[in-house]
């Protein structure tokens, strides 16, 4: 069993279902590799692309590390006061906007592939 799958097995109910669904979705992209970092699942391509963050037995937050660079044209991502990371929270699988989420993941992967990461506020 992969370390991320073992991590997901610790959860129950809707949190398990959402984690499992999002892990399978993210794992379906052949360029993404899951790893446990900071005690949660991160997904890498060239750099960190996104991570799954359980929120106190309530929801699962799918966080995009370069979220501020994404178009967010559908308005599904929230900053929650953060400068770089944007996320979307899910309490159940029924809440997941599958087509919009695919678009967002594809954009994040394209960004990671094509544009070098430059932390906000840092000049090259």
């Amino acid at each position: 069993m992969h370390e991320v799958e073992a991590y997901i097995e610790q959860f129950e109910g809707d949190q398990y279902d959402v984690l499992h669904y999002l892990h399978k979705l993210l794992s379906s992209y052949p360029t993404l590799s899951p790893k446990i970092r900071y005690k949660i699942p991160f997904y890498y391509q060239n750099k960190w692309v996104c991570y799954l963050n359980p929120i106190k037995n309530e929801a699962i937050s799918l966080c995009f590390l370069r979220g501020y660079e994404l178009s967010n044209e559908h308005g599904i991502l929230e900053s929650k006061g953060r400068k770089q990371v944007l996320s979307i929270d899910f309490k159940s699988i029924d809440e997941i906007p599958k087509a919009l989420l695919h678009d967002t993941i594809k954009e994040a992967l394209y960004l990671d592939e094509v544009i070098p990461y430059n932390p906000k506020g840092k000049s090259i």
Side-chain angles (χ1 to χ4, degrees):
M1 180 179 292
H2 188 276
E3 65 180 345
V4 171
E5 291 167 347
Y7 172 85
I8 292 169
E9 290 296 322
Q10 301 174 55
F11 292 86
E12 297 177 343
D14 287 335
Q15 275 197 315
Y16 170 83
D17 293 340
V18 172
L19 276 169
H20 186 262
Y21 177 85
L22 292 174
H23 172 67
K24 291 295 181 192
L25 172 64
L26 293 165
S27 296
S28 72
Y29 292 90
T31 59
L32 276 179
S33 299
K35 294 181 184 177
I36 296 292
R37 293 289 180 262
Y38 306 105
K39 299 181 183 181
I40 57 175
F42 276 75
Y43 296 82
Y44 297 78
Q45 184 173 247
N46 293 323
K47 300 282 185 188
W48 294 346
V49 174
C50 60
Y51 61 91
L52 300 175
N53 190 21
I55 303 169
K56 300 177 188 163
N57 297 323
E58 291 181 17
I60 302 300
S61 189
L62 172 58
C63 306
F64 292 90
L65 287 114
R66 295 175 68 181
Y68 69 96
E69 295 179 71
L70 298 174
S71 68
N72 196 22
E73 65 184 67
H74 303 294
I76 64 172
L77 300 174
E78 300 177 75
S79 71
K80 297 181 181 180
R82 297 172 292 207
K83 293 182 181 179
Q84 293 185 33
V85 175
L86 294 182
S87 63
I88 181 170
D89 297 344
F90 304 109
K91 291 184 178 180
S92 73
I93 291 178
D94 297 335
E95 294 180 353
I96 299 173
K98 293 167 180 66
L100 300 180
L101 195 54
H102 276 288
D103 290 347
T104 303
I105 293 167
K106 288 177 189 175
E107 184 182 1
L109 292 173
Y110 176 79
L111 180 67
D112 183 62
E113 185 66 34
V114 176
I115 302 170
Y117 176 64
N118 180 23
K120 205 170 195 175
K122 306 253 178 172
S123 58
I124 296 178

